Amino acid sequence: MNPKMAALGAVLATWMTSAAFAEEPIRIGFITTLTTPAAAIGNDMVDAVKLAVDHAGGTIAGHPIEVIYEDDGLQPDLGRQKAEKLVRQEKVDVVAGFIWSNVLMAARKTVIDSDAFLISTNAGPSDMAGKLCNPDFFSLRGQNDMVPMALGKVMNEQERKKLYVLAPNYAAGIDMVKGVERTFGGEVVGRDFTKWGDDPQLDFSAELAKVAASGADALFAFYPGRAATFARQFEQAGLKDKVKLYSVYTLDQIVLPQLQKAGVDVVLGSSTADYWSPDIDTPANRRFVEDFQKRYGRLPSNYAAAAYDLIPYLKAAVEQSGGDIKNRDAVRKALIAADYDSVRGRYELARNHFPIDNYRGLTIAADASGAWTLKSDGVELKQLVDPYVDACRNEK
């Protein structure tokens, strides 16, 4: 063969290989809930991811971003099956999402045993922060105990003395109760865990009657996706002027417009806590909130905020590590560094790869336009670390 032709062929082959590499998409499997009444949460997350992909220009290090959305139907077994499909058939580089801790726990081993990174945008079971932590697992929001731990401190600031707690009987509900009881300085006068899953308990009248009789001056509730039902029954039980309502992952930007339209004003003045709220004044958050509201006609929720962060987080890690998501050691190191513009502002990861976040007390109130929203109440809790990190054996 002519030497010049051979050299040209080699150059062409290299160019074609490089072009093919550049065009190969980065594939993200995103598991959330897109059916059942909890689909409102999942749809909020999907909308946020789509907005983030657009903000990223649709690419990571020159690779097109391809997101495959899967519905867990609120069922751990189905979530595991969807994880198997994503890693074995779709060959995704990342499996992300997860509203529910029991679904994440069911899918965990399937993903960790594959060549994909596992990134939770919401669920944070205690086992995965401690003894089941893994170098390839990362979380975009604090472990389950953290928000209720922060809320317990808010209750102390507000001098609450007697607390009743209500939560569904599954992994996250148990973690939430442990969290608030870990920091609340008063007396826990009652505790009920209610049925969850495919056929959840929706009538809380018996539990709310016990709250009324307990002498509690505060009620802690965790009922994601059931806020409207719970709030109406709290009002019907006549507790509005007797017991201050504190909640986590229950009264949020997804449900507040519904409650306002229905006139369920019992929630006004109730308190929660979180690492994020729509009024955080960072450039990334202002852009996220403004563009989300412009595109979808509503304020984003905390679920949406963490789901949105997935894309800039992954984009920064891959590009900072050389552009090849298959270079797992380099990408892992960059994910640990978390050097990107989060909607919450800059933060660090603990050894278990959960965020060391700042938390703030939030009150449900009307904004300048009259819409009900979450507003910072001035209580700030700096760099809280979850209580399970010492059981994690990851290298920092």
Side-chain angles (χ1 to χ4, degrees):
M1 178 182 294
N2 186 310
K4 291 184 178 180
M5 292 298 295
L8 180 60
V11 169
L12 181 60
T14 300
W15 177 84
M16 292 176 64
T17 300
S18 299
F21 174 76
E23 293 173 1
E24 183 178 346
I26 288 179
R27 295 166 63 81
I28 302 167
F30 196 88
I31 297 176
T32 188
T33 305
L34 300 174
T35 54
T36 81
I41 300 174
N43 289 329
D44 215 45
M45 295 165 71
V46 169
D47 285 348
V49 172
K50 290 179 177 178
L51 178 63
V53 170
D54 287 350
H55 280 176
T59 65
I60 293 175
H63 300 272
I65 301 170
E66 182 179 342
V67 185
I68 303 166
Y69 300 98
E70 294 288 353
D71 177 24
D72 60 34
L74 250 177
Q75 302 175 49
D77 284 346
L78 183 57
R80 177 184 52 77
Q81 291 170 21
K82 293 302 178 69
E84 289 176 350
K85 174 191 173 187
L86 288 169
V87 299
R88 294 174 184 172
Q89 296 180 28
E90 303 291 351
K91 307 294 184 185
V92 297
D93 302 295
V94 176
V95 178
F98 298 102
I99 302 172
W100 316 106
S101 291
N102 53 353
V103 175
L104 177 58
M105 288 294 290
R108 178 193 68 86
K109 190 173 188 303
T110 295
V111 182
I112 291 300
D113 289 348
S114 74
D115 289 329
F117 288 106
L118 177 59
I119 303 177
S120 173
T121 68
N122 185 71
S126 54
D127 282 350
M128 293 186 68
K131 62 185 179 181
L132 293 181
C133 71
N134 187 276
D136 290 335
F137 169 73
F138 296 84
S139 178
L140 282 165
R141 63 176 305 156
Q143 185 273 329
N144 288 342
D145 293 38
M146 297 307 296
V147 169
M149 283 174 64
L151 189 57
K153 292 177 179 289
V154 171
M155 292 180 197
N156 296 337
E157 291 274 345
Q158 297 178 358
E159 299 184 345
R160 299 297 164 181
K161 303 301 182 185
K162 294 185 177 183
L163 177 66
Y164 204 104
V165 297
L166 285 174
N169 190 17
Y170 80 111
I174 294 167
D175 283 346
M176 299 294 170
V177 170
K178 286 180 181 176
V180 73
E181 292 186 2
R182 195 183 298 274
T183 57
F184 177 64
E187 177 186 1
V188 177
V189 296
R191 182 188 301 109
D192 280 310
F193 290 98
T194 57
K195 185 180 177 184
W196 196 246
D198 294 340
D199 183 26
Q201 177 178 327
L202 298 177
D203 182 354
F204 305 104
S205 56
E207 287 78 15
L208 291 170
K210 291 165 68 176
V211 174
S214 69
D217 61 356
L219 170 62
F220 170 82
F222 165 64
Y223 283 102
R226 299 287 183 264
T229 298
F230 185 84
R232 288 190 183 97
Q233 293 182 27
F234 179 85
E235 184 173 51
Q236 291 163 2
L239 295 174
K240 177 179 179 180
D241 298 321
K242 299 177 181 178
V243 181
K244 175 70 179 285
L245 178 60
Y246 296 83
S247 65
V248 292
Y249 305 104
T250 299
L251 298 171
D252 55 29
Q253 297 297 163
I254 294 174
V255 74
L256 286 179
Q258 304 168 32
L259 293 176
Q260 183 173 12
K261 185 176 181 180
V264 187
D265 61 1
V266 68
V267 303
L268 289 172
S270 67
S271 294
T272 185
D274 211 336
Y275 81 100
W276 177 86
S277 61
D279 59 354
I280 289 179
D281 192 17
T282 65
N285 197 53
R286 289 196 301 271
R287 183 188 189 200
F288 163 57
V289 172
E290 289 171 7
D291 287 0
F292 190 99
Q293 194 167 22
K294 187 183 302 181
R295 178 178 292 194
Y296 302 116
R298 65 184 190 275
L299 285 170
S301 68
N302 50 9
Y303 301 100
Y308 175 90
D309 261 355
L310 170 68
I311 301 302
Y313 178 44
L314 191 60
K315 181 180 178 73
V318 174
E319 292 180 353
Q320 290 164 11
S321 61
D324 182 5
I325 199 168
K326 306 299 184 187
N327 186 349
R328 292 173 62 82
D329 289 341
V331 174
R332 184 185 303 110
K333 184 176 180 181
L335 287 170
I336 292 170
D339 184 11
Y340 75 107
D341 291 327
S342 168
V343 295
R344 57 161 63 88
R346 303 305 287 270
Y347 67 97
E348 297 179 2
L349 293 183
R351 187 171 64 250
N352 56 10
H353 297 171
F354 279 84
I356 302 172
D357 264 326
N358 299 324
Y359 290 83
R360 54 183 56 200
L362 303 171
T363 298
I364 295 174
D367 65 14
S369 70
W372 294 1
T373 188
L374 296 170
K375 302 179 72 173
S376 300
D377 66 7
V379 178
E380 294 189 4
L381 307 158
K382 299 291 189 181
Q383 293 194 306
L384 299 187
V385 182
D386 71 77
Y388 304 98
V389 66
D390 288 342
C392 174
R393 296 294 173 257
N394 284 344
E395 293 183 8
K396 182 65 175 77

